[in-house]
Amino acid sequence: MITLGTRIDLKHLVATPIGMMVRVTATLKEVDGRKLVFAVEAYDEKEKISECTHERFIVTKSRFLEKVAEKAKG
């Protein structure tokens, strides 16, 4: 099993100067069957710079790779 990102809803709050350190945290907020929903926040050394909701789905790796290979064949 693997997870695939399917959606990102990102809100950019403020700019960060080049060279400033950035810290990002992700918290699993919801599990709905195979769907995982994360709350993501980013902070620079002074303040929160971004917030995001990120959705991922749990899928069977071999099945996913088969579908990708089929698509590549045309």
Side-chain angles (χ1 to χ4, degrees):
M1 304 303 281
I2 60 173
T3 64
L4 303 173
T6 58
R7 181 182 178 124
I8 294 176
D9 182 12
L10 176 71
K11 184 174 184 183
H12 182 262
L13 303 173
V14 295
T16 298
I18 293 174
M20 189 175 277
M21 296 293 292
V22 173
R23 176 178 53 90
V24 179
T25 61
T27 305
L28 180 60
K29 292 294 191 179
E30 177 185 342
V31 178
D32 182 10
R34 297 181 305 119
K35 182 172 82 170
L36 309 173
V37 180
F38 294 87
V40 182
E41 296 180 328
Y43 296 84
D44 63 22
E45 296 170 19
K46 300 213 179 233
E47 62 191 326
K48 183 191 245 187
I49 59 171
S50 179
E51 55 192 28
C52 169
T53 301
H54 179 52
E55 290 183 5
R56 300 187 70 79
F57 274 82
I58 300 169
V59 299
T60 303
K61 183 178 179 180
S62 59
R63 185 170 176 205
F64 171 75
L65 293 176
E66 287 172 10
K67 286 183 177 182
V68 171
E70 277 296 314
K71 184 175 182 178
K73 289 180 186 176

